[in-house]
Amino acid sequence: MSYKSAVDLTQRLVSVDSVSAGGNNLVANLLYEHLRSLRFNVEVFQRDHLNVNLVARIGSGRGGLAFVGHLDTVPYQEEKDRGLWNYGPLDGVVSDGRIHGVGTADMKGPIAAAIFAGKRFVNERLARPFALVLTDTEEAGHKGAQYLRDKKVLSSDEFEYAVVGEPTSLAPLTTHLGIGE
């Protein structure tokens, strides 16, 4: 499926339940198909029967940029939290210039934005590689990132820089909590 904007893609991603405990296969499959349709080279790393990590690359070489994000969301209890939600947690409703739904800011919106930024370059001959590194189970122990690290999927030679789209109240950070070396 093709998406007209990062907002459209974010709404679709929010509509797919990917709470850590339930796995991320559905949202990973959606993104796999979308990234392949954009001509990213997508590798799938199945950590277990519920969880998938994706690495989508364009370009090759050394000293590139990786956008790192996670596909899982925090748990929610729609019935219990009903008074806290103006819209359903998986509705992805746009209202007053904001997208409402679980995972919108952490991380589905930033992932959609990174995909739309990266897709501009799929037909270019890049001097350095660009990758989207999309992990599982960040909200419950960084298991996907640890899995990719242990499998040596990425190297510091290939990617000199990384951007992590975690919300920071719009304050730029030069480091981030994580498991990288």
Side-chain angles (χ1 to χ4, degrees), residues 14 19 37 42 46 50 55 62 85 100 104 133-134 141 164 177-178:
V14 167
V19 171
S37 77
V42 185
Q46 185 88 35
L50 293 176
V55 177
R62 299 169 60 123
W85 292 93
H100 299 267
T104 300
V133 179
L134 306 175
V164 179
L177 171 68

Side-chain angles (χ1 to χ4, degrees), residues 20-154:
S20 294
N24 72 349
N25 282 330
L26 293 176
V27 74
N29 288 338
L30 182 152
L31 284 171
Y32 173 83
E33 294 299 330
H34 182 59
L35 290 164
R36 295 268 305 162
S37 77
L38 297 174
R39 294 193 310 275
F40 277 82
N41 177 15
V42 185
E43 295 176 274
V44 176
F45 300 91
Q46 185 88 35
R47 187 177 60 79
D48 60 32
H49 71 285
L50 293 176
N51 293 290
V52 174
N53 298 278
L54 301 176
V55 177
R57 290 178 169 90
I58 53 176
S60 62
R62 299 169 60 123
L65 171 68
F67 174 88
V68 182
H70 59 89
L71 299 174
D72 62 314
T73 66
V74 295
Y76 63 91
Q77 296 176 339
E78 192 167 356
E79 294 302 318
K80 179 182 175 226
D81 297 340
R82 188 165 305 274
L84 302 175
W85 292 93
N86 292 327
Y87 306 96
L90 301 177
D91 291 350
V93 171
V94 177
S95 175
D96 296 323
R98 296 175 184 227
I99 306 170
H100 299 267
V102 69
T104 300
D106 183 15
M107 263 325 273
K108 293 178 177 183
I111 288 170
I115 290 169
F116 269 80
K119 86 175 198 170
R120 296 179 57 211
F121 301 104
V122 294
N123 294 319
E124 302 293 325
R125 184 178 168 102
L126 299 179
R128 297 178 182 182
F130 172 76
L132 298 160
V133 179
L134 306 175
T135 66
D136 76 88
T137 321
E138 184 271 350
E139 298 291 358
H142 303 277
K143 293 176 184 171
Q146 290 172 1
Y147 179 82
L148 293 177
R149 181 199 61 201
D150 293 348
K151 295 286 185 188
K152 298 182 181 1
V153 171
L154 306 170

